[in-house]
Each structure stands twice: as structure tokens, then as C-alpha cells.
């Protein structure tokens, strides 16, 4: 049985909830069923997890403003690995993977975990509602295009 080729992509290497979930996925996915590639800004702890798990580690600098260089680097990594599924975390990684695979006739399945939209309406309610409204429209546009 061929192992599923999965590429996990995250745009942050600091430690928070999304980054922890990324690391837990990398540590506990079944190695016998999944050929794993980890794409993250340079992070020694992720490199060690990849080494321990026999996964491919691809360090990728993800600046706050996405550049053509970053998009091309991810596009090259995707072509080389040829994943069946790309799983992204955080909006920059979502957008980066979407841009890197635009125009392909056979595109990997793009999946995401949405993290970090703030739902605490009681604090600065107008600002937060406006931020949520804008974010939700951006997310909707990107994620609907994941389908094709």
C-alpha cells in the first residue's frame, strides 16, 4: 500500500496553540501510512521532530508580506515532494499554499486549520466585529477556491 504524501505548512515558528498542534500532528501521525513533509520557518524543535520521525524538513522563511521568492520556494518544494494533501495553518500559510498551486491542472488537495480569529466581542466590540467581518470575507474567498 502506498503511503499518503502529506505536507504540513505553517507560517510561524513561535510557540502558541497553532504551532503546538502542528508539532503534535508531526509527532503522532502514523509513519507507516503517511510520508510526511514539514514546511515551517527555521525551527530547531521542528527539525528534530522531523529527524526523529523520518519526515522531510523544509525550512522556509515566511515574511509578514509574502514575496514572489517565498511563493516560488514553496512551489518548488511542492513540485519536488508531490504531496497528495497540503495541510496549512494560519492565514499566511493558507494564502501561500493557494498562491503556490494556482494554475496547476493537478493540484494537491488543500486543507486548513483556522486558528486565531478572536471572538471576544465584549472587548472593543466595534473593532473586533469589523476585524472578524473582514477576516471572514478573506478566509471565505481563499477557502472556496481551495475546491478548484
Amino acid at each position: 500500500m502506498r503511503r499518503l504524501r502529506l505536507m504540513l505548512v505553517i507560517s510561524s515558528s513561535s510557540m502558541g496553540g497553532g504551532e503546538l498542534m502542528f508539532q503534535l500532528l508531526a509527532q503522532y501521525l502514523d509513519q507507516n501510512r503517511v510520508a510526511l513533509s514539514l514546511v515551517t520557518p527555521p525551527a530547531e524543535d521542528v527539525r528534530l521532530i522531523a529527524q526523529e520521525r523520518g519526515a522531510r524538513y523544509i525550512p522556509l522563511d515566511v515574511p509578514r508580506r509574502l514575496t514572489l521568492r517565498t511563493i516560488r520556494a514553496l512551489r518548488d518544494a511542492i513540485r519536488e515532494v508531490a504531496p497528495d494533501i497540503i495541510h496549512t495553518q494560519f492565514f499566511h500559510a493558507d494564502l501561500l499554499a493557494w498562491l503556490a498551486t494556482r494554475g496547476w491542472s493537478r493540484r494537491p488537495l488543500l486543507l486548513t486549520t483556522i486558528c486565531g480569529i478572536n471572538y471576544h466581542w465584549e472587548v472593543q466590540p466595534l473593532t473586533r466585529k469589523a476585524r472578524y467581518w473582514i477576516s471572514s470575507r478573506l478566509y471565505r474567498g481563499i477557502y472556496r477556491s481551495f475546491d478548484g
Side-chain angles (χ1 to χ4, degrees):
M1 180 171 92
R2 182 177 81 82
R3 294 189 308 165
L4 177 75
R5 292 182 308 258
L6 174 64
M7 178 180 274
L8 298 179
V9 181
I10 194 166
S11 56
S12 168
S13 60
S14 61
M15 189 46 70
E19 294 87 357
L20 178 60
M21 191 171 95
F22 178 88
Q23 288 188 8
L24 290 172
L25 282 170
Q27 287 176 312
Y28 294 106
L29 283 169
D30 185 349
Q31 291 175 270
N32 297 317
R33 297 175 63 198
V34 177
L36 187 61
S37 299
L38 306 173
V39 180
T40 178
E44 183 63 15
D45 48 349
V46 176
R47 188 192 66 75
L48 292 172
I49 291 169
Q51 183 178 349
E52 173 187 305
R53 302 285 297 161
R56 185 176 199 159
Y57 172 65
I58 304 167
L60 179 69
D61 285 319
V62 182
R64 288 182 68 79
R65 290 185 180 194
L66 295 181
T67 63
L68 285 176
R69 181 184 205 183
T70 306
I71 295 165
R72 283 186 195 122
L74 181 59
R75 180 179 288 239
D76 292 345
I78 293 169
R79 280 201 172 118
E80 187 177 325
V81 171
D84 300 305
I85 298 173
I86 301 173
H87 179 266
T88 59
Q89 285 186 247
F90 298 135
F91 185 72
H92 272 81
D94 304 339
L95 184 59
L96 182 60
W98 178 74
L99 289 169
T101 59
R102 293 298 295 159
W104 290 13
S105 58
R106 189 218 163 272
R107 190 164 48 167
L109 180 65
L110 297 174
L111 302 173
T112 189
T113 300
I114 298 175
C115 304
I117 293 181
N118 191 335
Y119 293 102
H120 298 286
W121 303 115
E122 68 279 0
V123 181
Q124 301 172 337
L126 184 59
T127 305
R128 294 200 187 273
K129 284 180 183 177
R131 180 175 152 211
Y132 170 76
W133 187 87
I134 291 168
S135 296
S136 67
R137 294 325 181 258
L138 289 170
Y139 275 103
R140 187 179 306 154
I142 296 295
Y143 301 131
R144 282 189 179 160
S145 68
F146 271 31
D147 296 334

